[in-house]
Coordinates of all heavy atoms in Angstrom, one line a residue:
L256 N -89.6 -73.8 7.8 CA -88.6 -73.0 8.5 C -88.6 -73.4 10.0 O -87.5 -73.6 10.6 CB -89.0 -71.5 8.5 CG -88.1 -70.5 9.3 CD1 -86.6 -70.6 8.9 CD2 -88.6 -69.1 9.1
I261 N -85.5 -75.5 6.1 CA -84.9 -74.4 5.3 C -84.5 -73.3 6.2 O -84.8 -73.3 7.4 CB -86.0 -73.9 4.3 CG1 -87.2 -73.3 5.0 CG2 -86.3 -74.9 3.2 CD1 -88.2 -72.6 4.1
T262 N -83.7 -72.4 5.7 CA -83.2 -71.3 6.5 C -84.2 -70.1 6.4 O -85.1 -70.1 5.6 CB -81.8 -70.8 6.0 OG1 -82.0 -70.3 4.6 CG2 -80.9 -72.0 5.9
G263 N -84.0 -69.1 7.2 CA -84.8 -67.9 7.2 C -84.7 -67.2 5.8 O -85.7 -66.7 5.3
A264 N -83.5 -67.2 5.3 CA -83.3 -66.5 4.0 C -84.0 -67.3 2.9 O -84.6 -66.6 2.0 CB -81.8 -66.5 3.6
Q265 N -84.0 -68.6 2.9 CA -84.8 -69.4 1.9 C -86.2 -69.1 2.1 O -87.0 -69.0 1.1 CB -84.4 -70.9 2.1 CG -83.0 -71.3 1.7 CD -82.7 -72.7 2.0 OE1 -82.9 -73.1 3.2 NE2 -82.3 -73.5 1.1
C266 N -86.7 -69.1 3.3 CA -88.2 -68.8 3.6 C -88.5 -67.5 3.0 O -89.6 -67.3 2.4 CB -88.4 -69.0 5.0 SG -90.2 -68.8 5.5
H267 N -87.7 -66.5 3.3 CA -88.0 -65.1 2.8 C -88.1 -65.0 1.3 O -89.0 -64.4 0.8 CB -86.9 -64.1 3.3 CG -87.4 -62.7 3.3 ND1 -87.2 -62.0 2.1 CD2 -87.9 -61.9 4.2 CE1 -87.6 -60.8 2.3 NE2 -88.1 -60.7 3.5
R268 N -87.2 -65.8 0.6 CA -87.3 -65.8 -0.8 C -88.5 -66.4 -1.4 O -89.1 -66.0 -2.4 CB -86.0 -66.5 -1.4 CG -84.8 -65.7 -1.3 CD -83.7 -66.3 -2.2 NE -83.2 -67.6 -1.8 CZ -82.3 -67.8 -0.9 NH1 -81.6 -66.8 -0.3 NH2 -81.9 -69.0 -0.5
L269 N -89.0 -67.4 -0.7 CA -90.3 -68.1 -1.1 C -91.4 -67.1 -1.0 O -92.3 -67.0 -1.8 CB -90.6 -69.3 -0.2 CG -89.6 -70.5 -0.4 CD1 -89.9 -71.6 0.6 CD2 -89.8 -71.1 -1.8
G270 N -91.4 -66.3 0.1 CA -92.5 -65.3 0.3 C -92.4 -64.2 -0.8 O -93.4 -63.7 -1.3
A271 N -91.1 -63.8 -1.1 CA -90.9 -62.7 -2.0 C -91.4 -63.0 -3.4 O -91.8 -62.2 -4.2 CB -89.4 -62.3 -2.0
R272 N -91.4 -64.3 -3.8 CA -91.9 -64.7 -5.1 C -93.3 -64.4 -5.3 O -93.8 -64.2 -6.4 CB -91.6 -66.2 -5.3 CG -90.2 -66.6 -5.4 CD -90.0 -68.0 -5.9 NE -90.9 -69.0 -5.2 CZ -90.7 -70.4 -5.3 NH1 -89.7 -70.8 -6.0 NH2 -91.5 -71.2 -4.7
G279 N -97.9 -64.3 0.7 CA -96.5 -64.1 0.5 C -95.9 -63.1 1.5 O -94.8 -63.3 2.0
V282 N -95.4 -64.8 4.8 CA -94.2 -65.7 4.8 C -93.0 -64.9 5.0 O -92.1 -65.2 5.8 CB -94.1 -66.5 3.5 CG1 -92.8 -67.2 3.4 CG2 -95.3 -67.5 3.4
M283 N -92.9 -63.7 4.3 CA -91.7 -62.9 4.5 C -91.6 -62.4 6.0 O -90.5 -62.3 6.6 CB -91.7 -61.7 3.6 CG -91.5 -62.1 2.1 SD -91.2 -60.7 1.0 CE -92.8 -60.0 1.0
A284 N -92.7 -62.0 6.5 CA -92.8 -61.4 7.9 C -92.4 -62.5 8.9 O -91.6 -62.2 9.8 CB -94.2 -60.9 8.2
A286 N -90.4 -65.1 8.3 CA -89.0 -65.3 8.1 C -88.2 -64.3 8.8 O -87.2 -64.6 9.5 CB -88.6 -65.3 6.6
E287 N -88.6 -63.0 8.7 CA -87.9 -61.9 9.4 C -88.0 -62.0 10.9 O -87.0 -61.9 11.6 CB -88.5 -60.6 8.9 CG -88.2 -60.3 7.4 CD -89.0 -59.2 6.8 OE1 -89.9 -58.6 7.6 OE2 -88.9 -58.9 5.6
T290 N -85.9 -65.1 12.1 CA -84.5 -64.8 11.9 C -84.0 -63.9 13.0 O -82.9 -64.0 13.6 CB -84.2 -64.3 10.5 OG1 -84.6 -65.2 9.6 CG2 -82.7 -64.0 10.3

Side-chain angles (χ1 to χ4, degrees):
L256 177 57
I261 60 175
T262 66
Q265 289 172 309
C266 183
H267 195 276
R268 284 196 294 272
L269 291 175
R272 293 193 313 194
V282 171
M283 289 191 293
E287 293 164 2
T290 300

